[in-house]
Amino acid sequence: MARKNVNLKKLISQMTLEQKVSQLIQLNAMNFAKSATEITGPAQQWGLSDEWLNTMGSTLNFADAEEMIKIQKNHMEKDPNGIPMMFMMDVIHGYRTIYPIPLGLAASFDPELVYECTRMAAKEAAAGGVNVTFTPMVDYVRDARWGRVLETAGEDPYLTSVIGATQVRAFQGDDLSDKENLAACVKHYAAYGGAEAGRDYNTVELSERILREYYLPSYKACIDAGVKMIMPSFNSLNGVPSAANSWLMKQVLKKEWKFRGTVITDYNAIGELKTHGIAENMREAAKMAFENGCDIEMMSNGYHDHLCELVRDGTIDEKKVDEAVMRVLKLKKELGLFDDPYRGASPEREKALALCPEHRAIARRAANESAVLLKNEGVLPFSKDLKKVAVIGHFAECNEIKGFWSCHGKDSECVTVADGIRAKLPGAEIITAYGCSPLWNDKNTDGFSEAVAAAKEADAVVLCLGEPQTYSGEGNSRADIRLPGMQEELARAVVAANPNCALVLFNGRPLVLTDINCPAILDMWFPGSEGGNSAADLLFGDAVPCGKITMSFPKAVGQCPIYYNHPSTGRPKWTAEDVHQAYASNYIGCGNLPLYSFGHGLSYTKFEYESMELSDTKMSAEKPLTVKITVKNVGNYAAKETVQLYFRDIYASTVRPVQQLAAFEKIALAPGEKKTVTFTVTEEMLRFYNAECKHVSEAGEFVIFTGYADHRYKEARFFLK
Ligand code: GLC
């Protein structure tokens, strides 16, 4: 029963209080269907009465288009107000065709590629019956121990903002009623990535200044891009969990940012207000969350059990419930669900799009652009004339390379490295050997001898090691971030047997690689459906690595949290990395720099930064600075380079980072070709939050440089007047 131009005000006026509250509850699809996919959180059947289930506002984690249609059809027959359900899903880096995890895709430094991948995911998900995706995740991070760094764009607030806003635009398009567009939900608001000790769900204590400078900008960028929904985070922030944090939810989100979209809690986050110890019972928890602007309660029963009673006893004004219901119904109307409750759901189209050649090609290109060549001492690229290649390690023949949050992607649909190499070198002999397990507590080395033998007889070795994809993602933090199990020892044994060896990494976070002696290291992250083909493209030179890491790779886990945009301190270390400096801010036995810094990534070619020219040595709000950087490809491969521009505010009223990314541009250069990249530095880019949390710029001297964090290829100084 389509309802063109439904009058929402009138509709709400006809609803009972229970029916209104039911619009504000989201239960997973297991409550409405049998074949639902439980993707996250404690799966539960709530056993609510049919009156409630038949008027439920939305659901999540359903299986596919067929199931969505079945649930919606049943619902439309039973809902007395004819209000369609809304269907939500975590489409994080692909729906069925899986591309690299966000921490990998960010390494492409290519917003257009992010847009293209996201559009692909939106089309597949819309065909699968998804109306809203719980994406983008834009949590700012500095600690590689945290399991969810895989979902982020890393340790730079500007890059995280650019990527988050790009995803919002790509998912939502210009018209939300377009059946290939989804509503986006930015998460996890706020500072979930600041969990103490990098332990998921842990406490977050941050000053307002640090919050506003580093942790909040990316959510604001998504709101400015028009995101329709926002999800408060599980964590307590400065003592109060986000869902009940009035500074975050009222002062910042509603008053300062004027967010008028829908707020959905995270999974049972209202129930967790009791566990945090700030709500005595579910009635109090429901009251706190509702009064702080949480419209939809995901997977807990606070609103079901208490919201009607809170209205009837006068604690909560029914008008506030009507306003929350209006936000939910407005989104459903914008999505076109009142006109067509099934929207873009189509089992046939869902099947036709999933992993179609065009989508696999996008996933492969994304994997190629996201991979980072961390190290290469004359090993890569391998020649395609090799006769015998040994592919060794857990990930040689393993297809579990799609990452933790891979929606409906299937391991069985991912190409393994060995298969990618077999396809690349049809005439070569490919020997595989398992070596050892990637499990942290598996010390078995029985497979070493076979691996060493394979390495010895091969012309070249591809060592495929990493973390199991369940060692990152939600709830999966690690206190030791080296290669788990006996993989480091395996690497040493294999490299000793044949130094013509490249390590291909599969990881959901920066790892400590300090003791890895492999002469070449190619980080594939979790590359998704086309991982093996992409690895082969890169190893044999059909694709040239161009990714740049967006999160520091520590020398030791004891350095965490470690991030490139850190302040100087009053006693910075100036001695060599491996020399401890008395009475300075440094460690005994470990330097301060990461093993690999933000923005690092090698190529098969060589880029020469010929010049950096400034339009002037002084600038002002009225007179921005133009910076021209000329880069030449002096090597033998056509390749891409991300030209990065950093600055340092040398002195200001609060301590400033020793470097911060101002801008970047990715360019393609043929051998011998040079290009000049022009950046404009505005006064606004130089602003920061001062001690009073005012967003200001301050006159004074700045250093500007190109290269990457901790590595200055060209630098100059200028004054802001
Ligand atoms: C999870 C995650 C959140 C996700 C939600 C729905 O617990 O924290 O990122 O969107 O539940 O699956």
Side-chain angles (χ1 to χ4, degrees):
M1 169 182 58
R3 309 191 30 194
K4 300 247 181 234
N5 302 324
V6 59
N7 179 327
L8 298 180
K9 209 165 161 42
K10 186 165 173 252
L11 178 56
I12 292 171
S13 70
Q14 294 162 346
M15 292 162 74
T16 67
L17 181 56
E18 280 72 11
Q19 288 166 355
K20 293 178 190 175
V21 171
S22 195
Q23 282 299 312
L24 307 182
I25 301 171
Q26 179 176 90
L27 298 184
N28 63 32
M30 296 172 79
N31 289 275
F32 307 100
K34 296 294 162 276
S35 61
T37 308
E38 180 49 46
I39 288 184
T40 178
Q44 300 186 68
Q45 293 277 2
W46 287 77
L48 301 188
S49 70
D50 285 351
E51 187 202 1
W52 280 91
L53 283 176
N54 293 341
T55 55
M56 196 65 49
S58 60
T59 185
L60 79 158
N61 295 354
F62 56 97
D64 53 21
E66 191 181 340
E67 184 165 272
M68 182 269 189
I69 291 166
K70 190 165 63 179
I71 294 172
Q72 189 74 297
K73 186 170 179 303
N74 175 56
H75 178 85
M76 294 308 285
E77 285 162 4
K78 294 180 181 158
D79 183 303
N81 302 301
I83 300 173
M85 280 179 93
M86 210 159 25
F87 289 75
M88 306 194 195
M89 181 76 68
D90 293 285
V91 186
I92 309 296
H93 55 104
Y95 175 76
R96 271 295 296 287
T97 310
I98 306 301
Y99 46 91
I101 57 171
L103 189 62
L105 193 57
S108 71
F109 274 84
D110 188 341
E112 286 170 22
L113 178 64
V114 172
Y115 190 92
E116 186 180 9
C117 290
T118 308
R119 277 309 306 154
M120 169 175 77
K123 283 180 191 163
E124 290 191 5
V130 181
N131 310 146
V132 182
T133 176
F134 300 122
T135 329
M137 190 272 211
V138 294
D139 299 336
Y140 174 75
V141 290
R142 292 174 163 174
D143 196 321
R145 292 171 293 182
W146 192 45
R148 301 194 74 165
V149 297
L150 86 93
E151 300 167 59
T152 76
E155 66 197 47
D156 182 76
Y158 167 64
L159 179 66
T160 303
S161 300
V162 167
I163 290 182
T166 301
Q167 286 180 290
V168 170
R169 285 190 292 273
F171 274 124
Q172 297 188 164
D174 300 328
D175 172 4
L176 213 47
S177 67
D178 177 326
K179 294 182 178 177
E180 288 193 335
N181 294 342
L182 308 180
C185 172
V186 61
K187 69 187 186 184
H188 306 81
Y189 180 67
Y192 183 26
E196 212 165 74
R199 201 175 76 232
D200 203 0
Y201 314 115
N202 203 4
T203 305
V204 178
E205 290 287 338
L206 292 165
S207 70
E208 182 181 342
R209 188 177 68 81
I210 292 298
L211 273 167
R212 290 184 181 278
E213 179 104 11
Y214 293 96
Y215 288 83
L216 294 182
S218 49
Y219 307 107
K220 177 67 166 53
C222 292
I223 289 171
D224 292 345
V227 75
K228 295 296 177 185
M229 191 178 279
I230 193 165
M231 181 190 293
S233 53
F234 287 124
N235 57 282
S236 66
L237 174 62
N238 297 335
V240 183
S242 300
N245 190 311
S246 56
W247 179 78
L248 209 50
M249 300 297 286
K250 291 180 175 173
Q251 170 58 31
V252 177
L253 185 62
K254 299 287 175 91
K255 208 164 158 206
E256 289 180 27
W257 294 354
K258 301 193 179 3
F259 180 69
R260 295 291 176 264
T262 306
V263 178
I264 187 168
T265 71
D266 204 339
Y267 209 104
N268 186 37
I270 292 181
E272 291 178 12
L273 295 178
K274 285 192 302 175
T275 320
H276 275 288
I278 66 147
E280 184 185 354
N281 50 48
M282 269 313 262
R283 173 188 157 91
E284 277 311 299
K287 176 177 177 295
M288 280 179 186
F290 188 79
E291 286 177 340
N292 279 292
C294 294
D295 297 318
I296 300 176
E297 175 180 21
M298 183 196 293
M299 280 303 284
S300 51
N301 54 355
Y303 289 4
H304 168 266
D305 292 357
H306 301 289
L307 198 47
C308 295
E309 152 207 332
L310 285 161
V311 168
R312 290 194 171 109
D313 70 17
T315 307
I316 285 178
D317 183 342
E318 186 163 359
K319 284 198 188 67
K320 292 293 179 194
V321 173
D322 291 353
E323 287 167 11
V325 174
M326 178 58 87
R327 284 188 286 270
V328 173
L329 296 186
K330 261 187 185 163
L331 181 55
K332 292 185 176 184
K333 187 173 180 180
E334 258 195 278
L335 283 162
L337 285 168
F338 282 99
D339 305 332
D340 173 6
Y342 308 97
R343 204 162 175 269
S346 158
E348 300 72 27
R349 183 164 162 72
E350 179 183 32
K351 190 166 181 303
L353 287 173
L355 298 150
C356 65
E358 186 205 343
H359 286 188
R360 274 197 179 272
I362 293 171
R364 183 167 180 166
R365 183 157 36 87
N368 287 350
E369 301 273 320
S370 304
V372 180
L373 185 60
L374 295 171
K375 181 181 176 185
N376 189 23
E377 290 162 358
V379 169
L380 292 177
F382 287 137
S383 157
K384 285 199 262 188
D385 300 331
L386 288 176
K387 293 291 171 256
K388 195 178 278 191
V389 180
V391 190
I392 296 170
H394 171 78
F395 288 96
E397 299 272 22
C398 171
N399 55 20
E400 294 162 11
I401 55 174
K402 62 185 191 326
F404 179 90
W405 280 106
S406 43
C407 203
H408 289 328
K410 294 179 172 42
D411 292 337
S412 58
E413 294 162 349
C414 294
V415 178
T416 66
V417 175
D419 283 345
I421 294 175
R422 289 185 183 109
K424 184 69 68 179
L425 304 184
E429 182 187 351
I430 310 300
I431 327 162
T432 61
Y434 185 69
C436 68
S437 128
L439 299 178
W440 69 275
N441 54 351
D442 185 335
K443 305 302 178 196
N444 186 313
T445 58
D446 295 350
F448 276 32
S449 51
E450 182 201 19
V452 166
K456 277 188 177 145
E457 66 170 288
D459 305 322
V461 180
V462 178
L463 197 47
C464 305
L465 307 175
E467 302 176 304
Q469 55 190 6
T470 53
Y471 280 26
S472 51
E474 184 173 355
N476 300 325
S477 303
R478 293 181 66 201
D480 175 354
I481 55 175
R482 289 173 301 157
L483 281 171
M486 298 302 284
Q487 295 184 97
E488 280 193 10
E489 290 76 5
L490 175 66
R492 271 194 283 282
V494 165
V495 172
N498 185 339
N500 191 26
C501 174
L503 167 61
V504 177
L505 272 183
F506 294 92
N507 49 307
R509 59 166 56 78
L511 296 175
V512 168
L513 303 169
T514 312
D515 296 336
I516 298 293
N517 65 338
C518 221
I521 303 176
L522 178 69
D523 196 334
M524 297 295 295
W525 312 103
F526 285 110
S529 310
E530 283 292 304
N533 283 330
S534 169
D537 288 345
L538 293 158
L539 289 166
F540 292 93
D542 285 345
V544 178
C546 59
K548 306 282 186 185
I549 55 175
T550 66
M551 202 173 171
S552 307
F553 275 57
K555 283 197 179 91
V557 71
Q559 291 180 308
C560 291
I562 182 170
Y563 46 99
Y564 87 95
N565 40 4
H566 59 80
S568 155
T569 77
R571 295 198 177 194
K573 173 182 171 57
W574 41 258
T575 53
E577 269 293 277
D578 55 357
V579 175
H580 174 246
Q581 180 184 326
Y583 305 107
S585 178
N586 67 155
Y587 304 98
I588 294 169
C590 180
N592 287 358
L593 292 176
L595 184 64
Y596 300 115
S597 295
F598 176 92
H600 166 74
L602 302 176
S603 174
Y604 293 151
T605 196
K606 189 169 170 6
F607 295 104
E608 203 159 272
Y609 282 65
E610 290 189 337
S611 62
M612 182 175 82
E613 289 159 21
L614 274 56
S615 55
D616 201 329
T617 54
K618 49 188 178 305
M619 66 166 283
S620 65
E622 297 70 35
K623 200 180 135 221
L625 191 70
T626 301
V627 183
K628 290 181 183 296
I629 298 167
T630 301
V631 182
K632 183 176 183 181
N633 180 347
V634 295
N636 306 317
Y637 286 85
K640 293 177 183 174
E641 171 72 338
T642 298
V643 181
Q644 303 163 49
L645 186 70
Y646 295 80
F647 69 87
R648 177 180 184 177
D649 187 345
I650 299 174
Y651 45 84
S653 59
T654 54
V655 295
R656 306 298 310 128
V658 296
Q659 59 205 340
Q660 60 188 94
L661 184 68
F664 61 87
E665 184 174 333
K666 192 167 189 177
I667 58 174
L669 290 174
E673 185 184 8
K674 70 163 88 170
K675 275 183 186 166
T676 298
V677 174
T678 302
F679 294 113
T680 300
V681 178
T682 64
E683 174 269 335
E684 195 176 357
M685 289 160 71
L686 308 179
R687 291 182 193 168
F688 63 94
Y689 283 90
N690 65 13
E692 293 71 45
C693 283
K694 296 281 176 283
H695 200 214
V696 299
S697 62
E698 292 174 358
E701 189 175 18
F702 289 74
V703 174
I704 193 158
F705 72 89
T706 186
Y708 64 97
D710 311 319
H711 298 75
R712 301 181 176 185
Y713 297 164
K714 295 288 179 195
E715 69 174 89
R717 290 179 175 246
F718 68 89
F719 281 84
L720 172 65
K721 290 295 176 201

PDB file of all heavy atoms in Angstrom, residues 40-41 60-61 90 134 148 151 187-188 192 231 234 266-267 298 405 474, ligand 1:
ATOM      1  N   THR A  40      26.817  -8.966  14.482  1.00  0.00           N
ATOM      2  CA  THR A  40      27.558  -8.391  15.596  1.00  0.00           C
ATOM      3  C   THR A  40      26.721  -8.420  16.864  1.00  0.00           C
ATOM      4  O   THR A  40      25.514  -8.506  16.798  1.00  0.00           O
ATOM      5  CB  THR A  40      27.936  -6.939  15.276  1.00  0.00           C
ATOM      6  OG1 THR A  40      28.619  -6.390  16.402  1.00  0.00           O
ATOM      7  CG2 THR A  40      26.698  -6.099  15.043  1.00  0.00           C
ATOM      8  N   GLY A  41      27.396  -8.378  17.963  1.00  0.00           N
ATOM      9  CA  GLY A  41      26.686  -8.221  19.217  1.00  0.00           C
ATOM     10  C   GLY A  41      26.026  -9.513  19.676  1.00  0.00           C
ATOM     11  O   GLY A  41      25.899 -10.448  18.938  1.00  0.00           O
ATOM     12  N   LEU A  60      18.059  -4.754  11.749  1.00  0.00           N
ATOM     13  CA  LEU A  60      19.426  -4.769  11.220  1.00  0.00           C
ATOM     14  C   LEU A  60      19.860  -6.223  11.076  1.00  0.00           C
ATOM     15  O   LEU A  60      19.227  -7.129  11.606  1.00  0.00           O
ATOM     16  CB  LEU A  60      20.375  -4.013  12.155  1.00  0.00           C
ATOM     17  CG  LEU A  60      20.879  -4.719  13.418  1.00  0.00           C
ATOM     18  CD1 LEU A  60      22.155  -4.078  13.908  1.00  0.00           C
ATOM     19  CD2 LEU A  60      19.840  -4.714  14.528  1.00  0.00           C
ATOM     20  N   ASN A  61      20.964  -6.402  10.342  1.00  0.00           N
ATOM     21  CA  ASN A  61      21.613  -7.713  10.195  1.00  0.00           C
ATOM     22  C   ASN A  61      20.680  -8.756   9.614  1.00  0.00           C
ATOM     23  O   ASN A  61      20.610  -9.884  10.089  1.00  0.00           O
ATOM     24  CB  ASN A  61      22.143  -8.195  11.552  1.00  0.00           C
ATOM     25  CG  ASN A  61      23.241  -7.305  12.076  1.00  0.00           C
ATOM     26  OD1 ASN A  61      23.684  -6.393  11.357  1.00  0.00           O
ATOM     27  ND2 ASN A  61      23.662  -7.508  13.283  1.00  0.00           N
ATOM     28  N   ASP A  90      25.733  -2.978   8.415  1.00  0.00           N
ATOM     29  CA  ASP A  90      27.116  -2.463   8.435  1.00  0.00           C
ATOM     30  C   ASP A  90      27.779  -2.737   7.094  1.00  0.00           C
ATOM     31  O   ASP A  90      28.394  -3.778   6.901  1.00  0.00           O
ATOM     32  CB  ASP A  90      27.919  -3.171   9.536  1.00  0.00           C
ATOM     33  CG  ASP A  90      27.423  -2.822  10.904  1.00  0.00           C
ATOM     34  OD1 ASP A  90      27.702  -1.698  11.358  1.00  0.00           O
ATOM     35  OD2 ASP A  90      26.724  -3.651  11.502  1.00  0.00           O
ATOM     36  N   PHE A 134      25.511   1.617   8.509  1.00  0.00           N
ATOM     37  CA  PHE A 134      26.205   2.163   9.693  1.00  0.00           C
ATOM     38  C   PHE A 134      27.643   2.503   9.292  1.00  0.00           C
ATOM     39  O   PHE A 134      28.607   1.937   9.786  1.00  0.00           O
ATOM     40  CB  PHE A 134      26.210   1.141  10.826  1.00  0.00           C
ATOM     41  CG  PHE A 134      24.836   0.741  11.283  1.00  0.00           C
ATOM     42  CD1 PHE A 134      24.447  -0.592  11.252  1.00  0.00           C
ATOM     43  CD2 PHE A 134      23.927   1.684  11.734  1.00  0.00           C
ATOM     44  CE1 PHE A 134      23.179  -0.983  11.686  1.00  0.00           C
ATOM     45  CE2 PHE A 134      22.651   1.312  12.163  1.00  0.00           C
ATOM     46  CZ  PHE A 134      22.283  -0.021  12.138  1.00  0.00           C
ATOM     47  N   ARG A 148      39.738  -1.893  16.463  1.00  0.00           N
ATOM     48  CA  ARG A 148      38.907  -1.276  15.429  1.00  0.00           C
ATOM     49  C   ARG A 148      39.648  -0.236  14.589  1.00  0.00           C
ATOM     50  O   ARG A 148      39.036   0.446  13.776  1.00  0.00           O
ATOM     51  CB  ARG A 148      37.644  -0.693  16.075  1.00  0.00           C
ATOM     52  CG  ARG A 148      36.842  -1.753  16.804  1.00  0.00           C
ATOM     53  CD  ARG A 148      35.460  -1.341  17.169  1.00  0.00           C
ATOM     54  NE  ARG A 148      34.578  -1.318  16.011  1.00  0.00           N
ATOM     55  CZ  ARG A 148      33.249  -1.272  16.111  1.00  0.00           C
ATOM     56  NH1 ARG A 148      32.677  -1.221  17.309  1.00  0.00           N
ATOM     57  NH2 ARG A 148      32.490  -1.261  15.029  1.00  0.00           N
ATOM     58  N   GLU A 151      38.945  -0.156  10.911  1.00  0.00           N
ATOM     59  CA  GLU A 151      37.782   0.519  10.316  1.00  0.00           C
ATOM     60  C   GLU A 151      38.026   2.009  10.100  1.00  0.00           C
ATOM     61  O   GLU A 151      37.145   2.698   9.598  1.00  0.00           O
ATOM     62  CB  GLU A 151      36.572   0.384  11.250  1.00  0.00           C
ATOM     63  CG  GLU A 151      36.138  -1.020  11.538  1.00  0.00           C
ATOM     64  CD  GLU A 151      35.151  -1.067  12.691  1.00  0.00           C
ATOM     65  OE1 GLU A 151      34.097  -0.430  12.599  1.00  0.00           O
ATOM     66  OE2 GLU A 151      35.459  -1.729  13.699  1.00  0.00           O
ATOM     67  N   LYS A 187      29.687   7.191  12.674  1.00  0.00           N
ATOM     68  CA  LYS A 187      29.906   6.591  14.000  1.00  0.00           C
ATOM     69  C   LYS A 187      31.390   6.593  14.299  1.00  0.00           C
ATOM     70  O   LYS A 187      32.203   6.829  13.393  1.00  0.00           O
ATOM     71  CB  LYS A 187      29.345   5.166  14.007  1.00  0.00           C
ATOM     72  CG  LYS A 187      30.127   4.198  13.136  1.00  0.00           C
ATOM     73  CD  LYS A 187      29.418   2.838  13.036  1.00  0.00           C
ATOM     74  CE  LYS A 187      30.287   1.849  12.284  1.00  0.00           C
ATOM     75  NZ  LYS A 187      29.617   0.557  12.082  1.00  0.00           N
ATOM     76  N   HIS A 188      31.813   6.345  15.577  1.00  0.00           N
ATOM     77  CA  HIS A 188      31.001   6.201  16.782  1.00  0.00           C
ATOM     78  C   HIS A 188      31.225   7.452  17.592  1.00  0.00           C
ATOM     79  O   HIS A 188      32.350   7.681  18.077  1.00  0.00           O
ATOM     80  CB  HIS A 188      31.451   4.983  17.562  1.00  0.00           C
ATOM     81  CG  HIS A 188      31.470   3.710  16.779  1.00  0.00           C
ATOM     82  ND1 HIS A 188      32.506   3.354  15.925  1.00  0.00           N
ATOM     83  CD2 HIS A 188      30.602   2.703  16.704  1.00  0.00           C
ATOM     84  CE1 HIS A 188      32.239   2.177  15.380  1.00  0.00           C
ATOM     85  NE2 HIS A 188      31.098   1.750  15.832  1.00  0.00           N
ATOM     86  N   TYR A 192      35.615   7.161  20.343  1.00  0.00           N
ATOM     87  CA  TYR A 192      35.691   5.717  20.673  1.00  0.00           C
ATOM     88  C   TYR A 192      37.121   5.232  20.473  1.00  0.00           C
ATOM     89  O   TYR A 192      37.620   4.362  21.149  1.00  0.00           O
ATOM     90  CB  TYR A 192      34.697   5.008  19.764  1.00  0.00           C
ATOM     91  CG  TYR A 192      34.494   3.531  19.903  1.00  0.00           C
ATOM     92  CD1 TYR A 192      34.728   2.828  21.070  1.00  0.00           C
ATOM     93  CD2 TYR A 192      34.006   2.820  18.817  1.00  0.00           C
ATOM     94  CE1 TYR A 192      34.493   1.466  21.158  1.00  0.00           C
ATOM     95  CE2 TYR A 192      33.765   1.461  18.874  1.00  0.00           C
ATOM     96  CZ  TYR A 192      34.010   0.786  20.050  1.00  0.00           C
ATOM     97  OH  TYR A 192      33.776  -0.574  20.122  1.00  0.00           O
ATOM     98  N   MET A 231      25.622   7.762  15.319  1.00  0.00           N
ATOM     99  CA  MET A 231      25.574   6.729  16.349  1.00  0.00           C
ATOM    100  C   MET A 231      26.532   7.072  17.477  1.00  0.00           C
ATOM    101  O   MET A 231      27.746   7.114  17.266  1.00  0.00           O
ATOM    102  CB  MET A 231      25.969   5.369  15.735  1.00  0.00           C
ATOM    103  CG  MET A 231      25.931   4.226  16.717  1.00  0.00           C
ATOM    104  SD  MET A 231      26.673   2.708  16.061  1.00  0.00           S
ATOM    105  CE  MET A 231      25.539   2.276  14.780  1.00  0.00           C
ATOM    106  N   PHE A 234      29.995   3.465  22.466  1.00  0.00           N
ATOM    107  CA  PHE A 234      29.835   2.703  23.703  1.00  0.00           C
ATOM    108  C   PHE A 234      30.555   3.364  24.876  1.00  0.00           C
ATOM    109  O   PHE A 234      30.124   3.281  26.011  1.00  0.00           O
ATOM    110  CB  PHE A 234      30.481   1.315  23.532  1.00  0.00           C
ATOM    111  CG  PHE A 234      29.746   0.364  22.653  1.00  0.00           C
ATOM    112  CD1 PHE A 234      30.382  -0.214  21.559  1.00  0.00           C
ATOM    113  CD2 PHE A 234      28.445  -0.006  22.917  1.00  0.00           C
ATOM    114  CE1 PHE A 234      29.734  -1.137  20.749  1.00  0.00           C
ATOM    115  CE2 PHE A 234      27.773  -0.928  22.111  1.00  0.00           C
ATOM    116  CZ  PHE A 234      28.427  -1.492  21.022  1.00  0.00           C
ATOM    117  N   ASP A 266      24.306   2.589  19.771  1.00  0.00           N
ATOM    118  CA  ASP A 266      24.982   1.375  19.365  1.00  0.00           C
ATOM    119  C   ASP A 266      24.300   0.198  20.086  1.00  0.00           C
ATOM    120  O   ASP A 266      23.426   0.376  20.931  1.00  0.00           O
ATOM    121  CB  ASP A 266      26.493   1.486  19.684  1.00  0.00           C
ATOM    122  CG  ASP A 266      27.325   0.575  18.814  1.00  0.00           C
ATOM    123  OD1 ASP A 266      26.749  -0.403  18.268  1.00  0.00           O
ATOM    124  OD2 ASP A 266      28.519   0.820  18.657  1.00  0.00           O
ATOM    125  N   TYR A 267      24.719  -0.956  19.746  1.00  0.00           N
ATOM    126  CA  TYR A 267      24.079  -2.230  20.105  1.00  0.00           C
ATOM    127  C   TYR A 267      24.010  -2.425  21.623  1.00  0.00           C
ATOM    128  O   TYR A 267      25.033  -2.625  22.259  1.00  0.00           O
ATOM    129  CB  TYR A 267      24.940  -3.339  19.503  1.00  0.00           C
ATOM    130  CG  TYR A 267      24.233  -4.604  19.140  1.00  0.00           C
ATOM    131  CD1 TYR A 267      23.937  -4.901  17.824  1.00  0.00           C
ATOM    132  CD2 TYR A 267      23.869  -5.517  20.117  1.00  0.00           C
ATOM    133  CE1 TYR A 267      23.321  -6.094  17.465  1.00  0.00           C
ATOM    134  CE2 TYR A 267      23.246  -6.704  19.772  1.00  0.00           C
ATOM    135  CZ  TYR A 267      22.969  -6.989  18.451  1.00  0.00           C
ATOM    136  OH  TYR A 267      22.353  -8.155  18.110  1.00  0.00           O
ATOM    137  N   MET A 298      18.968   0.616  19.765  1.00  0.00           N
ATOM    138  CA  MET A 298      19.347  -0.610  19.076  1.00  0.00           C
ATOM    139  C   MET A 298      19.555  -1.724  20.095  1.00  0.00           C
ATOM    140  O   MET A 298      20.392  -1.635  20.972  1.00  0.00           O
ATOM    141  CB  MET A 298      20.642  -0.419  18.276  1.00  0.00           C
ATOM    142  CG  MET A 298      21.076  -1.615  17.483  1.00  0.00           C
ATOM    143  SD  MET A 298      22.785  -1.539  16.927  1.00  0.00           S
ATOM    144  CE  MET A 298      22.735  -0.185  15.767  1.00  0.00           C
ATOM    145  N   TRP A 405      34.896  -6.671   9.294  1.00  0.00           N
ATOM    146  CA  TRP A 405      33.584  -6.092   8.991  1.00  0.00           C
ATOM    147  C   TRP A 405      33.309  -6.215   7.499  1.00  0.00           C
ATOM    148  O   TRP A 405      33.257  -5.231   6.777  1.00  0.00           O
ATOM    149  CB  TRP A 405      33.533  -4.621   9.386  1.00  0.00           C
ATOM    150  CG  TRP A 405      33.300  -4.363  10.825  1.00  0.00           C
ATOM    151  CD1 TRP A 405      34.229  -3.930  11.710  1.00  0.00           C
ATOM    152  CD2 TRP A 405      32.084  -4.516  11.555  1.00  0.00           C
ATOM    153  NE1 TRP A 405      33.661  -3.806  12.960  1.00  0.00           N
ATOM    154  CE2 TRP A 405      32.352  -4.157  12.896  1.00  0.00           C
ATOM    155  CE3 TRP A 405      30.793  -4.923  11.235  1.00  0.00           C
ATOM    156  CZ2 TRP A 405      31.383  -4.172  13.896  1.00  0.00           C
ATOM    157  CZ3 TRP A 405      29.818  -4.940  12.218  1.00  0.00           C
ATOM    158  CH2 TRP A 405      30.124  -4.575  13.550  1.00  0.00           C
ATOM    159  N   GLU A 474      35.861  -5.438  16.053  1.00  0.00           N
ATOM    160  CA  GLU A 474      35.241  -5.146  17.349  1.00  0.00           C
ATOM    161  C   GLU A 474      35.592  -6.173  18.417  1.00  0.00           C
ATOM    162  O   GLU A 474      35.499  -7.366  18.207  1.00  0.00           O
ATOM    163  CB  GLU A 474      33.726  -5.059  17.213  1.00  0.00           C
ATOM    164  CG  GLU A 474      33.094  -4.652  18.551  1.00  0.00           C
ATOM    165  CD  GLU A 474      31.629  -4.381  18.475  1.00  0.00           C
ATOM    166  OE1 GLU A 474      31.074  -4.401  17.359  1.00  0.00           O
ATOM    167  OE2 GLU A 474      31.020  -4.142  19.527  1.00  0.00           O
TER     168      GLU A 474
HETATM  169  C1  GLC B   1      28.302  -3.006  16.767  1.00  0.00           C
HETATM  170  C2  GLC B   1      29.270  -1.890  16.456  1.00  0.00           C
HETATM  171  C3  GLC B   1      28.727  -0.866  15.506  1.00  0.00           C
HETATM  172  C4  GLC B   1      27.746  -1.518  14.542  1.00  0.00           C
HETATM  173  C5  GLC B   1      26.550  -1.991  15.346  1.00  0.00           C
HETATM  174  C6  GLC B   1      25.529  -2.714  14.472  1.00  0.00           C
HETATM  175  O1  GLC B   1      28.403  -3.392  18.104  1.00  0.00           O
HETATM  176  O2  GLC B   1      29.844  -1.197  17.551  1.00  0.00           O
HETATM  177  O3  GLC B   1      29.852  -0.310  14.807  1.00  0.00           O
HETATM  178  O4  GLC B   1      27.316  -0.579  13.567  1.00  0.00           O
HETATM  179  O5  GLC B   1      26.936  -2.833  16.430  1.00  0.00           O
HETATM  180  O6  GLC B   1      26.078  -3.879  13.951  1.00  0.00           O
END
